[in-house]
């Protein structure tokens, strides 16, 4: 069921804004996702039953009966706005659009889920029904392998000549060598059969059943002869000789487990001389009593003629898999297989072909000692004598320490499940049978079985609570695993994970655990060996293993908890060179030493020992081993991803907001005799506004005011007047009487101008206000008492108000400040007596309306009628022309259209009112004082934040960095939500600058402190520093959120907090904490803006001028990876690596000379320059110089800073969206590739001689040089050329990094490179607008706003809810989907779906662009009923004419040609 809500909003006297808007809100809210940004209260606030009926006799809701306020003699109408606003705001509209989008997503989600569920069920059913043979063969490669590498051909040639065991790393393509050898042997076999010789067959032997199907699938695709595969699960153990002979005669190759061949040989189904080739996969198993070893020992005759024994080819990643003497094991393997171990002679070729996994080490806290859970104690107390429960008891206690309390209890749910309990009963009966001879009674067995069933009931009734991540529910090891998996699978991802465990029960328990604590994108399965297990263990069939692996490959499962049956290790790589063996030991990725190569040796064992010795020596020299050769180095490489480090853009919280600077709280409580004076006055900036009516004021404080920047006020339409403050250096000494005069004057301003009566307590006043003379008459170093107009202070103290009588001359009433004692919102400035009017005359028609409009006298009184009847006013008093003061506006923002139209001229009588003793000029300045003090206090609060951070930042930049003026300040080029007017510049441009400097600073720091790290680790560690999550957490620790200015001027917040408020609105509130809603990302963005402000405050980007920004980075990232206080410290921390300072070769010196002709910088370290041109594929051993990747990492950040610096200075008014888009052109690979070729850098690139890379570079160079010639000097020639090979832009960035390092971290050298080779391309940035705007989303925005003048559009995205629980774990897709929609005028017109929000929005934008392509503006307006932006009358007339003609053409009344002739193409 659903109930409709009509949302109608009207203004008095107008038609409803919406005739009907219906939102369907399901009654059952438990099943509905209510948009987070629409609360039920908000919907109710928007709900109106219909248009307001002004003729209705009833009182409208929300409008008080006037009689109810009869007793209210005084009002404090201190609202922030004088003018009403429509009920239906832009925020309401956005909420309605969001609600409509959510409803649409729900409908689409239901369709998608239904389709996915059907597909998933179908695929799951298909997988379950298929045989293991089909499933395995389907998932293997069906590509014919023809492209053999050099080392594979080398070993193949050796295998033709002799028996060998090919030792190559996992993934190096050993099977291809076997394929080549099989082709060779099969060709020989065919030749032999042609000569009439007996038939022979080849055997490919494997160690496990899974490999039978896998290797058969590969061979079947790459051999053109019949192949068959066999394993024990196929029932071949009982086949007859005839059956086997049939298979042998029909096939030329058999793939089988070794046990199958051994059985065939043992039963004489085949003899060894009938086999021409034996291939041993995983040959290192050939030892002891393994089937490999028994085949050789029992049936292979080494002394027989070669024609009577098969050729042997072994394959392994390591010749030994056991502890002990590796060399002896290798010799034994050679002796066992009568073969020679062989590997490639060129290790570099092999290394390029192998993709090694990245090893990361995670440390968890020390595990607790095993303990007994409540369930354990209960079971142990009652059933500890049950023999078959001994293992579950042992495992449960063991699991309490290893896995945690919850996991330990889960052991019992597995051990005593129905099926497992039956196994335990059978085991108990077997034990009884075995012990029967020793006199165990049958009654004892029955008692044991009865106890076992009771224990099962106890467990079944036990309530297993959901696991709690904290406490003893999970061990520290499991919590660490949970955190890691949560970071990897927090968002939709293609990643897959295998968790290896030592015990089967652990795999099963962890899989169950992550059903509760895993993320929704984590889909866990269990994979264990097919061997039989005991209670608690999970026993799976081979068929189930195959299905699990199939689902894992397809992504239906993305995490496997697996026992260690299939773990393989290989740590040494042997190479045969010039008759000797050379070994390279490969250490894990997390090791400080990655590889070590030993000395050549005659024996493999000696080569391995040499490599190990060299590794130990390097570790000892690097102080990673102690003198006992024990490791002292522990390294944790955080495996972080962007998803883990990102913040939720929509996540907001309420935070405390400072509304007053610290200086007030620090100085109150004393009665000063010496004070400081800050003069405040107005200076004309633009327009013409008479400032002579504004008396300068002196702000008197206990401590000296800092020098603060001027800021504008908008006193009338089209004008801007700057507020200038001048803090005087001198101290003003005051007597008690003088201080009382100033205090009295200040309190009078609050009372007369703002209707606030404060307690007369000098001690609690944070500051005082006094009238002052003009600053032109004052020297800044003077603070004489003559600066203050003491006569005004004395007059105000002596006169509470100005009195008049019949003899008072008319000029007395001119230029006075008048207040209404009965209505705090009515204030007037008089002009002069109006003799043409009498008190009882009608109110002039152009006067502002009030509640009494009978005549001028009644107009002047704010009393309610009942009270008015008790008061008599003179009918012969003068009538005064005046201006009513609309003092509720925000003077910091420009005059709005509504305010321009407000009428202020009126006519009043003085008797119902009070003539204030404050001079009119003082009152005028006092009226704008709230806006002035509000901005000054905002400056001071921002400076308080800088003081807290110990940063020297200009006040204007400090406030800009902390200003957030809308709910979506960070969403550039979008309609701002809840925009706060008059706040000045917001933080977004400073954030753009600070983000770039943060990237550069952290990159330099990491490069200096970790010179040996690889590029990947640099990126990871920098990500940890600069990510929003780190900035947010640090900002929370610093309470940075308190200083953020998120609210524009409010008449509630500018008043002093300390003195006691006796009369006026707010008197009952007292002191309370003010809060504001801030997004997590906003707080992080402000941190970056502070860095930008610190940089810009002293921005010359010379080394001595950026220390402030360096300190800001240190304080806001709070990490030992950037503990820097000044720029010079970067170079001080840099320790030159050995390769940089080693003597240079002539070739390296020549490179310096050649590049000096391209850029006039002479390198001091030629080997550093060579590193900038050395591709990662170039062997390190050739010159002992690392590749350019580290320098590229550094240069990328430096170039970014140079480009941003240029854009920021050159375009001071552009928003960050524009700056970012155009910066992308400047640092794009496409542009830097062109720079590379222009400087001839590509000629000096050193790589491994790959023909493919060489051809790509050659083709690109030809294209870019042709484009440059044809461009005739146009700088954007590179835009239309294809992207270059990435190596070319990489070496430009690496070169910049090398210049920076070689010049001792002189950033000016980076700027000089930019000025010489990059700036000339971007003098006119407008030519790159198309390049910047070619992103579909940006292009769509520009099309709608610039071409169609449409403002009513939105691009929304939402993740489609995943399939529920059990379905998700088996669904075919298993991947989350995001759906995006383009909404034009509240209608969804295009959609897009993808695995991420970004890609979904791109697709939706692309689809929308396709729909809108070719539309004229008038067609768009008509099609989508767009009336966003009014065009001039002539244009509207023209469009109406076009539309009418199109309609007529559609009706057949005129020809299409007539429409075309009208001027707009159709």
């Amino acid at each position: 069921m659903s109930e409709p809500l009509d949302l109608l909003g009207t203004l008095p006297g107008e038609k409803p804004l919406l005739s009907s808007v219906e939102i369907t809100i399901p009654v059952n809210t438990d099943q509905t996702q209510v948009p987070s940004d629409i609360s039920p209260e908000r919907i109710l606030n928007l709900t109106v039953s219909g248009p307001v009926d002004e003729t209705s006799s009833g009182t409208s809701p929300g409008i008080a009966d006037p009689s109810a306020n009869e007793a209210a003699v005084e009002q404090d109408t201190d609202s922030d706005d004088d003018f009403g606003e429509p009920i239906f705001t832009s925020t309401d509209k956005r909420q309605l659009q969001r609600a409509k989008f959510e409803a649409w997503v729900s409908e689409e989600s239901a369709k998608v889920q239904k389709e996915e569920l059907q597909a998933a069920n179908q695929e799951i059913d298909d997988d379950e029904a298929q045989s293991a043979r089909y499933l395995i063969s389907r998932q293997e490669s069906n590509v014919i392998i023809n492209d053999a590498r050099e080392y594979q051909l080398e070993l193949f040639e050796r295998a033709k000549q002799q028996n060998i065991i090919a030792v190559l790393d996992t993934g190096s393509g050993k099977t291809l060598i076997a394929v080549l050898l099989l082709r060779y042997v099969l060709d020989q076999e065919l030749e032999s059969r042609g000569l009439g010789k007996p038939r022979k067959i080849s055997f490919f032997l494997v160690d496990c059943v899974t490999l039978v199907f896998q290797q058969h699938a590969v061979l079947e695709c790459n051999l053109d002869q019949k192949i068959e595969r066999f394993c024990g699960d196929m029932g071949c153990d009982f086949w007859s000789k005839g059956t086997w002979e049939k298979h042998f005669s029909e096939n030329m190759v058999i793939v089988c487990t070794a046990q199958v061949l051994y059985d065939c040989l043992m039963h004489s189904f085949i003899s060894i001389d009938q086999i021409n080739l034996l291939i041993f996969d995983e040959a290192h198993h050939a030892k002891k009593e393994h089937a490999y070893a028994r085949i050789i020992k029992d049936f292979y005759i080494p002394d027989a003629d070669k024609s009577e024994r098969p050729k042997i080819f072994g394959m392994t990643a390591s010749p030994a898999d056991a502890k002990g003497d590796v060399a002896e094991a290798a010799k034994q393997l050679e002796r066992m297989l009568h073969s020679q171990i062989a590997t490639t002679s060129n290790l570099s070729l092999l290394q390029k072909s192998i993709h090694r996994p990245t090893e990361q080490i995670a440390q968890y806290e020390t595990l607790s000692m095993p303990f007994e859970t409540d369930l354990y104690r209960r079971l142990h107390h009652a059933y500890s004598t049950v023999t078959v429960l001994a293992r579950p008891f042992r495992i449960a206690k063991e699991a309490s320490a290893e896995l945690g309390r919850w996991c330990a209890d889960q052991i019992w749910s597995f051990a005593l499940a129905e099926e497992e309990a039956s196994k335990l009963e059978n085991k108990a009966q077997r034990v009884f049978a075995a012990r029967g001879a020793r006199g165990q009674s049958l009654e004892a067995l029955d008692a044991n079985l009865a106890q076992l069933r009771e224990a099962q009931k106890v467990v079944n009734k036990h309530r297993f609570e959901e696991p709690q991540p904290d406490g003893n529910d999970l061990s520290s090891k499991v919590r660490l695993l949970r955190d890691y998996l949560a970071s990897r699978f927090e968002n939709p991802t293609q990643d897959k994970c295998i968790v290896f465990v030592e015990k089967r029960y652990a795999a099963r328990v962890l899989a169950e655990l992550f059903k509760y604590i895993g993320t929704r994108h984590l889909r866990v399965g269990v994979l264990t060996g097919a061997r039989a297990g005991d209670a608690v263990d999970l026993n799976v069939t081979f068929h189930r293993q195959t299905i699990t692996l199939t689902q894992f490959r397809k992504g239906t499962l993305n995490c496997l908890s697996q026992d260690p049956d299939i773990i393989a290790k290989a740590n040494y790589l042997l190479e045969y060179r010039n008759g000797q063996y050379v070994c390279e030991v490969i250490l894990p990725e997390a090791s400080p030493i990655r590889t070590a190569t030993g000395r050549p040796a005659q024996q493999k064992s000696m080569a391995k020992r040499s490599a190990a010795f060299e590794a130990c020596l390097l570790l000892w020299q690097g102080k990673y081993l102690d003198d006992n050769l024990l490791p002292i180095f522990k390294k944790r490489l955080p495996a972080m991803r962007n998803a883990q480090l990102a913040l939720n853009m929509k996540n907001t919280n309420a935070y405390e907001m400072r509304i007053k600077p610290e200086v007030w709280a620090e100085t109150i409580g004393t009665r000063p005799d010496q004070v400081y004076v800050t003069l405040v006055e107005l200076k004309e900036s633009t327009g013409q506004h008479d400032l002579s009516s504004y008396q300068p004021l002196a702000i008197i404080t206990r401590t000296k005011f800092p020098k603060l920047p001027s800021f504008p006020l908008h006193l009338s339409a089209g004008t801007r007047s700057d507020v200038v403050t001048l803090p005087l250096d001198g101290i003003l000494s005051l007597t008690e009487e003088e201080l009382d005069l100033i205090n009295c004057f200040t309190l009078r301003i609050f009372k007369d101008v703002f209707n606030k009566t404060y307690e007369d307590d000098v001690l609690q006043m944070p500051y005082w206000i006094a009238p002052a003379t003009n600053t032109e008459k004052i020297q800044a170093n003077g603070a004489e008492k003559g600066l203050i107009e003491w006569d005004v202070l004395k007059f105000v103290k002596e006169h509470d108000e100005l009195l008049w009588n019949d003899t008072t001359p008319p000029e007395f009433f001119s230029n006075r400040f008048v207040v209404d004692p009965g209505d705090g919102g009515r204030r007037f400035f008089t002009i002069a007596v109006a003799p043409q009017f009498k008190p009882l005359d009608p109110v002039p028609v152009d006067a502002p309306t009030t509640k009494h409009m009978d005549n001028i006298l009644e107009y002047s009184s704010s009393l309610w009628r009942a009270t008015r009847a008790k008061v008599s006013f003179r009918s012969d008093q003068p009538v005064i022309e005046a201006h009513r003061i609309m003092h509720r506006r925000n003077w910091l923002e420009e005059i709005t259209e509504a305010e321009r139209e407000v009428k202020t001229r009126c006519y009043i009588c003085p008797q119902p009112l009070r003539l204030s003793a404050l001079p009119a000029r003082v009152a005028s300045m006092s009226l704008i004082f709230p806006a002035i003090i509000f901005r000054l206090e905002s400056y001071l609060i921002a400076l308080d934040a800088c003081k807290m951070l110990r940063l020297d930042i200009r006040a204007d930049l400090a406030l800009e960095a902390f200003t957030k003026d809308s709910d979506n300040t960070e969403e550039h080029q979008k309609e701002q939500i809840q925009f706060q007017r008059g706040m000045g510049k917001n933080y977004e441009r400073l954030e753009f600058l600070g983000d770039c400097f943060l990237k550069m600073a952290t990159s330099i720091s990491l490069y200096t402190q970790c010179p040996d790290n690889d590029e990947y680790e640099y990126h990871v560690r920098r990500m940890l520093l600069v990510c929003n999550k780190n900035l947010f957490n640090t900002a929370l620790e610093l309470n940075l959120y308190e200083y953020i200015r998120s609210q524009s001027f409010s008449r509630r917040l500018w008043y002093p907090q300390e003195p006691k408020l006796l009369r006026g609105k707010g008197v009952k509130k007292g002191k309370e904490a003010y809060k504001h809603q801030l997004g997590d990302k906003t707080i992080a963005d402000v941190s970056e803006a502070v860095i930008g402000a610190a940089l810009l405050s002293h921005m010359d980007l010379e080394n001595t001028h950026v220390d402030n920004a360096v300190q800001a980075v240190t304080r806001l990232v709070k990490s030992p990876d950037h503990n820097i206080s000044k720029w010079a410290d970067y170079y001080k921390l840099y320790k030159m690596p050995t390769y940089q300072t080693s003597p240079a070769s002539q070739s390296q010196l020549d490179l310096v000379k050649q590049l000096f002709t391209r850029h006039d910088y002479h390198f001091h370290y030629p080997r550093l320059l060579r590193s900038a041109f050395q591709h990662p594929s170039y062997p390190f051993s050739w010159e002992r110089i690392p590749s350019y990747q580290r320098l590229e990492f550094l240069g990328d950040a430096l170039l970014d800073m140079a480009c941003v610096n240029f854009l920021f200075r050159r375009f001071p008014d552009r928003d960050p969206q524009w700056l970012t888009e155009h910066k992308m052109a400047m640092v794009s690979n496409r542009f830097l590739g062109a720079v590379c070729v222009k400087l001839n850098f590509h000629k000096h690139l050193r790589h491994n001689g790959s023909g493919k890379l060489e051809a790509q570079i050659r083709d690109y160079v030809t294209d870019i040089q042709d484009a440059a010639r044809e461009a005739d000097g146009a700088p954007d020639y590179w835009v239309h050329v294809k992207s270059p090979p990435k190596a070319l832009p990489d070496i430009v960035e690496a070169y910049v990094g090398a210049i920076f390092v070689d010049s001792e971290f002189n950033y000016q050298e980076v700027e000089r490179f930019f000025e010489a080779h990059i700036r000339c391309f971007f003098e006119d940035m407008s030519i790159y607008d198309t390049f910047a705007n070619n992103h579909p989303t940006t292009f769509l925005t520009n099309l709608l706003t610039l071409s169609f003048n449409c403002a009513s559009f939105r691009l929304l995205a939402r993740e489609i809810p995943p399939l529920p629980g059990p379905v998700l774990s088996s669904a075919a897709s298993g991947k989350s989907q995001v759906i995006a929609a383009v909404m034009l005028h509240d209608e969804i017109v295009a959609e897009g779906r993808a695995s991420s929000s970004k890609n979904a929005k791109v697709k939706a934008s692309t689809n929308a662009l396709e729909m809108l392509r070719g539309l004229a503006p008038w067609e768009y307006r008509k099609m989508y009923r767009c009336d966003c932006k009014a065009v001039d009358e002539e244009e509207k007339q023209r469009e109406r004419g076009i539309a009418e003609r199109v309609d007529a053409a559609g009706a057949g009344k005129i020809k299409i040609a007539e429409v075309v002739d009208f001027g707009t193409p159709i």
Side-chain angles (χ1 to χ4, degrees), residues 901-914:
E901 298 173 0
V902 172
K903 300 173 183 178
T904 63
R905 187 178 294 270
C906 59
Y907 297 88
I908 57 176
C909 294
Q911 187 180 8
L913 304 171
R914 184 166 63 87

Side-chain angles (χ1 to χ4, degrees), residues 303-316:
D303 298 329
D305 184 77
K306 285 187 177 181
S307 61
E308 297 178 0
R309 55 186 170 90
K311 180 182 289 292
I312 293 178
F313 176 69
M315 301 185 299
T316 183

Side-chain angles (χ1 to χ4, degrees), residues 27-97:
V27 174
N28 185 2
T29 56
D30 291 338
Q31 300 176 4
T32 306
Q33 285 188 312
V34 179
S36 59
D37 53 348
I38 299 185
S39 65
E41 295 81 4
R42 185 62 178 147
I43 293 177
L44 291 176
N45 287 340
L46 290 172
T47 303
V48 181
S49 60
V52 176
D53 185 1
E54 294 188 333
T55 62
S56 174
S57 59
T59 302
S60 299
I63 300 178
D65 185 351
S67 62
N69 290 325
E70 281 294 330
V73 179
E74 176 185 9
Q75 289 182 340
D76 184 18
T77 56
D78 224 10
S79 63
D80 292 336
D81 197 354
D82 275 306
F83 316 106
E85 62 179 19
I87 297 175
F88 195 72
T89 65
S90 61
T91 303
D92 301 334
K93 183 177 181 181
R94 292 177 66 87
Q95 291 175 338
L96 291 177
Q97 290 171 341

Side-chain angles (χ1 to χ4, degrees), residues 858-886:
E858 296 299 327
Y859 180 89
S860 304
S861 173
S862 62
L863 299 177
W864 295 103
R865 295 192 182 279
T867 306
R868 173 69 184 87
K870 302 175 184 178
V871 179
S872 64
F873 293 123
R874 292 174 50 179
S875 60
D876 59 346
Q877 59 184 301
V879 173
I880 305 170
E881 183 180 1
H883 283 292
R884 181 176 176 183
I885 301 170
M886 309 304 296

